[in-house]
Amino acid sequence: MSHLELTGITKSYGDVRAVDGVSLSVKPGSFFTLLGPSGCGKTTLLRLVAGFLHPDAGSIYLGGQDQAGIPADRRKVGMVFQDYALFPHMTVEANIAYGLKMHRIQKSDRRDRVESIMRRLDIGDLAKRFPHELSGGQQQRVAVGRAVVLEPLLLLMDEPLSNLDAKLRVRIRAELKELQQRLGITTVYVTHDQEEALSLSDDVAVLDSGRLQQQSDPATLYERPANTFVAGFVGHANVILLEDGTSRMYRPEWLELSEHTRPDDAAVTEVRGATVTACEYFGPTVRYRATVPEQTHPVYVDAPSRTLGGAAKRFAPGDKVWLHIPRGHGWEIPDHG
């Protein structure tokens, strides 16, 4: 059963087709992400769902109701913008109450609903503060509170973490997922950050040039991409030509570099000689770039920087090593070759 259903959605601006025949479905109570590079159509799609734009073709159903002809202010949709768009001259409680006031909800009912939402979001003690007195995470909670106090059927979020530094973004995205689960509200989230999409989402739709490339759960998206675009956009993809003539994709952590060939290891499909050309240290892991004679492109391999026994073996540019390709881990990309 779908809570949000899009069928054949198309939207053009002059000769540019921003959204091209997109069909997708969002389950009730799920965290759903639209993922893709800048200009792929994800924000346009979000604005079409919100009612800020109207499709040239296709249909949008929310909670089983066709949204055609329903203006943005009458759709049961809440929106959290990229910069949160809080009113700087209003307190937290006034920001949250704003939509209720515009919908002419009685004052006593407004107060009860605002207090209830602030309790659920753990911001009751911030009621009298102004946005400039809040942290980034607190501002996000207020923005979510303002969107959900109207009891929408759907919450839309347009890259709300993109303006934060990397460390704060990781912390706040964890809070955001916890908030969404606590509220139980179906959420559609837009981002260009694949790590963000994989960590937050129940389902992800990858867009490119206005077209849907794949919709699936994060693990399927990462481990079994539908095409070469998804494989390359969601993580790093090594496409290796095997001895049997087939090409298969291997994520960097699926491969291993070693000083030894281990020819009798049943878990290894093939062993190739390789030369390390570069390495990057990321703390928990080291990423190696290596050339393999049979390969047109470099092969990337991620290895733990430490093991239970202490520091792991490190390689340096110029080292001659063996590339171990694991049996059964590769994925044959459907459109490759």
Side-chain angles (χ1 to χ4, degrees):
M1 177 182 175
S2 298
H3 187 70
L4 175 67
E5 189 82 30
L6 277 61
T7 306
I9 295 296
T10 298
K11 179 65 179 179
S12 297
Y13 299 99
D15 296 332
V16 178
R17 184 159 288 188
V19 178
D20 191 0
V22 170
S23 297
L24 54 83
S25 59
V26 179
K27 300 172 186 175
S30 66
F31 197 112
F32 185 95
T33 295
L34 297 171
L35 173 67
S38 297
C40 72
K42 55 189 184 295
T43 294
T44 298
L45 203 57
L46 198 76
R47 293 175 68 83
L48 287 164
V49 173
F52 300 142
L53 300 173
H54 302 288
D56 301 330
S59 59
I60 299 172
Y61 279 80
L62 176 59
Q65 182 181 12
D66 190 349
Q67 300 297 290
I70 301 177
D73 62 348
R74 295 192 177 276
R75 294 194 183 189
K76 293 188 175 181
V77 172
M79 186 89 175
V80 176
F81 296 94
Q82 188 174 45
D83 60 358
Y84 304 144
L86 300 177
F87 297 114
H89 63 288
M90 291 185 182
T91 63
V92 165
E93 62 183 355
N95 264 283
I96 294 175
Y98 180 78
L100 297 173
K101 188 175 182 180
M102 292 299 99
H103 282 75
R104 302 183 186 280
I105 304 298
Q106 289 187 358
K107 191 172 183 179
S108 59
D109 191 21
R110 283 206 308 265
R111 184 175 58 251
D112 291 343
R113 287 168 67 171
V114 169
E115 288 178 354
S116 175
I117 283 294
M118 288 194 299
R119 279 198 306 272
R120 292 169 68 186
L121 296 176
D122 288 334
I123 54 175
D125 58 335
L126 306 177
K128 302 301 181 183
R129 292 192 191 180
F130 291 88
H132 72 273
E133 299 175 308
L134 306 176
S135 68
Q138 290 167 340
Q139 289 183 27
Q140 177 180 263
R141 287 175 179 247
V142 176
V144 171
R146 187 176 61 183
V148 302
V149 75
L150 291 168
E151 299 176 350
L153 295 176
L154 184 69
L155 178 63
L156 306 178
M157 307 190 79
D158 188 9
E159 302 212 49
L161 307 184
S162 62
N163 293 329
L164 304 177
D165 64 64
K167 189 172 183 179
L168 184 59
R169 190 162 62 243
V170 170
R171 180 173 66 79
I172 292 183
R173 80 184 183 207
E175 292 183 5
L176 179 59
K177 179 64 173 179
E178 188 271 333
L179 282 180
Q180 187 268 337
Q181 292 176 329
R182 186 191 306 176
L183 295 170
I185 187 170
T186 308
T187 299
V188 177
Y189 185 93
V190 162
T191 186
H192 62 274
D193 187 319
Q194 55 94 9
E195 182 179 293
E196 205 168 274
L198 295 179
S199 65
L200 283 171
S201 311
D202 299 305
D203 279 296
V204 181
V206 179
L207 299 174
D208 181 46
S209 300
R211 296 182 179 180
L212 178 66
Q213 302 297 313
Q214 185 173 354
Q215 177 186 339
S216 66
D217 64 274
T220 300
L221 197 72
Y222 185 76
E223 297 174 10
R224 299 190 292 280
N227 53 46
T228 51
F229 173 80
V230 176
F233 188 77
V234 183
H236 192 93
N238 296 299
V239 179
I240 296 178
L241 178 64
L242 301 177
E243 291 174 350
D244 62 7
T246 64
S247 293
R248 300 182 76 84
M249 181 206 77
Y250 295 84
R251 297 296 187 187
E253 70 274 14
W254 298 356
L255 301 170
E256 182 183 351
L257 294 181
S258 176
E259 297 174 285
H260 311 290
T261 61
R262 297 193 329 208
D264 299 326
D265 191 337
V268 175
T269 298
E270 295 179 22
V271 179
R272 305 275 183 85
T275 302
V276 175
T277 57
C279 61
E280 296 176 278
Y281 180 78
F282 294 112
T285 61
V286 178
R287 172 163 291 181
Y288 296 103
R289 186 174 73 227
T291 57
V292 180
E294 299 87 350
Q295 290 293 123
T296 304
H297 301 289
V299 173
Y300 292 83
V301 180
D302 286 353
S305 59
R306 296 186 68 84
T307 66
L308 289 175
K313 171 64 182 177
R314 300 273 179 86
F315 299 108
D319 284 353
K320 303 296 183 181
V321 294
W322 296 100
L323 172 69
H324 293 257
I325 304 171
R327 188 180 306 279
H329 277 69
W331 170 249
E332 189 170 351
I333 305 173
D335 73 343
H336 184 76

